[in-house]
Amino acid sequence: QVQLEESGGGLVQAGGSLRLSCAASGRTNSDFAMGWFRQAPGKEREFVAAIDYSYNTYYANSVKGRFTISRDKPKNTLYLQMNSLNPEDTAVYYCAAGTEYDRRSGQWGSDYWGQGTQVTVSS
């Protein structure tokens, strides 16, 4: 089992920045990829970014060039630096572990999830 706890969400004005963190505990010695997902009100949860154990990164088109995912393996911590935020980025952001891309469905999924942290971008 892997436990995930997000922090760093909050309220920010459009054009601003936020940095999310996710502390992982439990079975963290596995070679799993980690990722961030988000869910806006009335919408399905969507993939935001992922990073594998070799530090390869993957981004949704909507955040490419504005968000940066990174991980600190010794600290078992995942980060998401979010710049140039706009109101469409408002959502609950979830940290995930065991993140994989399913080629059959074309969807990203994960085995473990955090509780989520709210990010609100005002216009």
Side-chain angles (χ1 to χ4, degrees):
Q1 288 289 334
V2 177
Q3 292 77 45
L4 304 168
E5 184 172 1
E6 305 94 338
S7 61
L11 174 65
V12 64
Q13 289 189 333
S17 298
L18 278 177
R19 188 194 195 202
L20 304 183
S21 299
C22 173
S25 59
R27 192 169 60 89
T28 57
N29 60 340
S30 298
D31 297 346
F32 48 67
M34 298 186 73
W36 291 96
F37 292 72
R38 68 186 181 185
Q39 187 168 17
K43 296 186 177 180
E44 293 185 353
R45 185 164 54 190
E46 64 176 1
F47 168 77
V48 174
I51 184 168
D52 65 22
Y53 207 69
S54 299
Y55 298 103
N56 296 306
T57 58
Y58 310 86
Y59 295 95
N61 288 334
S62 59
V63 306
K64 201 172 296 184
R66 300 188 298 122
F67 291 10
T68 302
I69 189 171
S70 60
R71 68 191 295 178
D72 186 329
K73 291 179 188 177
K75 293 184 178 179
N76 292 321
T77 303
L78 179 72
Y79 302 99
L80 185 68
Q81 177 66 43
M82 305 185 293
N83 299 328
S84 302
L85 286 161
N86 58 62
E88 289 70 38
D89 296 316
T90 294
V92 176
Y93 283 70
Y94 296 91
C95 174
T99 304
E100 290 185 335
Y101 180 73
D102 185 337
R103 288 185 174 84
R104 290 178 300 174
S105 65
Q107 300 292 323
W108 287 86
S110 290
D111 295 326
Y112 303 100
W113 300 90
Q115 293 296 313
T117 185
Q118 177 70 47
V119 171
T120 303
V121 184
S122 64
S123 57

